[in-house]
């Protein structure tokens, strides 16, 4: 990168009227992120973001946006990402690497090293694998320089002190030259991903339903899985800006399965809806991985306000028959909701919720080390 910068300076010096943007040293770089990116993140999350993760390229994003977020809330954790083959910020050593867009092999002049709290090193193989996964599993075409920040929060949120906190990863690149290394196998991987998703859904049904007799029976007669599979189609259409077709498809699915999932809802992997009749999942609901939902459950809103108005459900949550979870609340990982409970408040991980309105208590089997109550994000 130093050679490229030197060549750019040479061209600018020998070209009349040329202007060199100097992205590594121009104070306008972090300034625009402070003026736009930071406020956008803060406003769109209603000031609730706990962790901000960004890759170090020019240093403008993390300096500007991270600095702004720290000014709004000094407790926000800002995490930087750099290539493991060029650990300049963590070990003071620069080296060649193949993650274009990260790791300039020198510390940019505009980078404020006081802004970030931690630096995470990422490998090329991990970056490529995650970029492919974003394209095939989520429909997000991101390059490998923008992808590394999309991975670390998952490991961070599994830590006892951070697993219930809200993180935001900055992924600025799109499907351009940087993603060509990942795009050649997307079509083949998409088909493989489709079948692997179906297979793991069937495995989740077998694990969640002791009455399941075999994969063929589950595939053909389990309406809960059919509702989830059709939702993935309608959600993909919804994400592409369509409105009528995905809504019509969701209503057709409800007619055949008795389960209504709004196409705007975000559903994680291996969701199993057992029996299923009467389940309703609203437009802005978010459901994590390995969740088990029984019949008659509602993930609904309250009032007529727009924006995020439905529950967010963590991983490995069990929701009993007839339970109602209402409003923009958040249930941490590994919670259990009793049958017919009415939940209107957020709850930390490993909580059992029962009653009307639901009251929480520690769930049996909770790990010894748990997040402090203050660490849990309350809506």
């Amino acid at each position: 990168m130093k050679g490229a910068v030197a060549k750019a300076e040479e061209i600018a010096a020998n070209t009349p009227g040329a202007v060199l943007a100097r992205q590594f040293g121009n104070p306008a770089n972090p300034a625009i992120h402070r003026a736009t990116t930071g406020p956008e993140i803060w406003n769109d999350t209603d000031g609730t973001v706990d962790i901000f993760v960004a890759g170090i390229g020019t240093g403008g994003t993390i300096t500007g946006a991270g600095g702004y977020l720290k000014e709004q809330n000094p407790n926000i954790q800002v995490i930087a990402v750099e290539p493991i083959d060029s650990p300049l910020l963590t070990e003071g050593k620069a080296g060649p690497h193949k993650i274009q867009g990260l790791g300039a092999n020198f510390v940019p002049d505009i980078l404020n090293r006081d802004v970030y709290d931690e630096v995470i090193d990422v490998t090329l193989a991990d970056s490529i694998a995650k970029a492919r996964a974003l394209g095939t599993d989520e429909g997000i075409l991101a390059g490998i320089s923008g992808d590394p920040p999309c991975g670390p929060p998952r490991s961070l949120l599994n830590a006892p002190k951070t697993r219930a906190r809200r993180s935001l990863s900055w992924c600025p690149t799109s499907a351009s030259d940087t993603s060509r290394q990942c795009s050649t196998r997307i079509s083949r991987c998409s088909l493989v991903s489709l079948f692997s998703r179906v297979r793991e859904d069937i495995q989740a049904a077998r694990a969640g339903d002791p009455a399941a007799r075999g994969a063929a029976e589950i595939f053909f007669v389990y309406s809960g899985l059919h509702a989830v599979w059709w939702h993935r189609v309608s959600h993909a259409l919804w994400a592409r800006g369509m409105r009528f077709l995905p809504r019509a498809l969701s209503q057709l699915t409800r007619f055949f399965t008795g389960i209504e999932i709004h196409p705007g809802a975000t559903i994680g992997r291996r969701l199993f809806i057992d029996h299923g009749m009467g389940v309703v999942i609203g437009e802005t609901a978010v459901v994590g991985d390995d969740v088990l939902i029984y019949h008659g459950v509602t993930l609904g809103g309250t009032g007529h306000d727009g924006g995020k108005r439905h529950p967010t459900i963590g991983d490995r949550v069990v929701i009993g028959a007839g339970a109602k979870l209402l409003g923009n609340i958040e249930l941490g990982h590994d919670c259990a909701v009793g049958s017919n409970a009415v939940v209107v408040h957020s709850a930390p991980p490993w909580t059992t919720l029962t009653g009307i309105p639901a009251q929480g208590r520690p769930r049996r089997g909770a790990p010894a080390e748990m997040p402090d109550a203050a660490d849990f994000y309350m809506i």
Side-chain angles (χ1 to χ4, degrees), residues 14-40:
N14 296 326
T15 304
V19 176
L20 187 60
R22 300 183 185 277
Q23 59 179 345
F24 295 98
N26 191 336
N29 183 346
I32 193 64
H33 286 290
R34 177 180 292 273
T36 59
T37 308
E40 182 178 357

Side-chain angles (χ1 to χ4, degrees), residues 130-143 150 171 173 175 186:
K130 289 174 182 173
R132 285 175 177 161
L134 280 177
T136 58
D137 296 344
E138 308 296 340
I140 300 173
L141 298 181
C150 298
C171 189
T173 60
I186 281 183

Side-chain angles (χ1 to χ4, degrees), residues 249-327:
L249 182 58
S250 70
Q251 292 302 301
L252 187 63
T253 303
R254 184 184 72 165
F255 176 81
F256 284 106
T257 67
I259 299 168
E260 181 174 354
I261 307 176
H262 193 285
T266 300
I267 304 298
R269 301 177 73 161
R270 298 175 296 277
L271 168 64
F272 178 43
I273 303 176
D274 197 6
H275 301 292
M277 179 62 69
V279 169
V280 177
I281 300 178
E283 176 185 4
T284 62
V286 178
V287 179
D289 297 336
D290 302 295
V291 172
L292 173 59
I293 296 177
Y294 288 94
H295 55 280
V297 167
T298 298
L299 305 183
T302 57
H304 299 283
D305 295 334
K308 183 72 170 73
R309 59 192 184 278
H310 298 98
T312 295
I313 310 300
D315 298 340
R316 302 173 299 279
V317 172
V318 179
I319 306 177
K324 313 299 177 187
L325 287 71
L326 306 175

Side-chain angles (χ1 to χ4, degrees), residues 158 160 163 333-334 349-351 362-371:
N158 285 330
R163 65 186 300 181
H333 303 312
D334 302 288
W350 288 94
T351 299
R363 185 179 178 185
R364 184 180 303 172
E369 187 177 4
M370 291 292 296

Side-chain angles (χ1 to χ4, degrees), residues 83 85 95-102 124 128 144 181:
D85 294 323
H97 66 88
K98 297 182 179 180
I99 305 180
Q100 304 98 323
L102 292 188
L124 173 64
I128 292 177
I144 57 175
Q181 300 175 54

Side-chain angles (χ1 to χ4, degrees), residues 72-314:
Q72 308 309 308
N73 179 6
N75 294 322
I76 289 177
Q77 187 178 6
V78 177
I79 298 177
V81 179
E82 68 174 358
I84 197 170
D85 294 323
S86 184
L88 186 60
L89 301 179
T90 55
E91 301 179 21
K93 299 185 300 184
H97 66 88
K98 297 182 179 180
I99 305 180
Q100 304 98 323
L102 292 188
N105 287 344
F106 60 87
V107 178
D109 293 337
I110 60 174
L111 175 62
N112 182 356
R113 302 183 70 170
D114 294 327
V115 167
Y116 53 83
D117 303 288
E118 182 181 351
V119 180
I120 294 177
D121 295 327
V122 294
T123 66
L124 173 64
D126 195 38
S127 298
I128 292 177
K130 289 174 182 173
R132 285 175 177 161
L134 280 177
T136 58
D137 296 344
E138 308 296 340
I140 300 173
L141 298 181
I144 57 175
S145 65
D147 176 68
C150 298
R154 297 188 179 185
S155 58
L156 288 172
L157 293 180
N158 285 330
K161 291 293 184 181
T162 59
R163 65 186 300 181
R165 302 174 70 190
R166 174 163 292 185
S167 68
L168 185 145
S169 299
W170 177 254
C171 189
T173 60
S174 61
S176 59
D177 290 340
T178 58
S179 62
R180 288 179 183 172
Q181 300 175 54
C182 316
S183 61
T184 56
R185 300 183 184 177
I186 281 183
S187 296
R188 183 172 60 186
C189 289
S190 296
L191 187 59
V192 173
S193 176
L194 172 63
F195 285 112
S196 65
R197 286 292 187 92
V198 170
R199 183 166 54 249
E200 68 181 21
D201 288 337
I202 292 175
Q203 292 171 348
R206 297 189 74 164
D209 184 6
R213 293 181 175 84
E217 175 185 327
I218 294 172
F219 181 85
F220 287 108
V221 304
Y222 273 51
S223 60
L225 291 188
H226 300 161
V228 171
W229 293 338
W230 281 112
H231 169 74
R232 289 177 184 157
V233 177
S234 64
H235 182 71
L237 297 175
W238 184 270
R240 285 161 176 76
M242 301 182 190
R243 290 298 178 260
F244 176 79
L245 182 58
R247 286 303 303 270
L249 182 58
S250 70
Q251 292 302 301
L252 187 63
T253 303
R254 184 184 72 165
F255 176 81
F256 284 106
T257 67
I259 299 168
E260 181 174 354
I261 307 176
H262 193 285
T266 300
I267 304 298
R269 301 177 73 161
R270 298 175 296 277
L271 168 64
F272 178 43
I273 303 176
D274 197 6
H275 301 292
M277 179 62 69
V279 169
V280 177
I281 300 178
E283 176 185 4
T284 62
V286 178
V287 179
D289 297 336
D290 302 295
V291 172
L292 173 59
I293 296 177
Y294 288 94
H295 55 280
V297 167
T298 298
L299 305 183
T302 57
H304 299 283
D305 295 334
K308 183 72 170 73
R309 59 192 184 278
H310 298 98
T312 295
I313 310 300

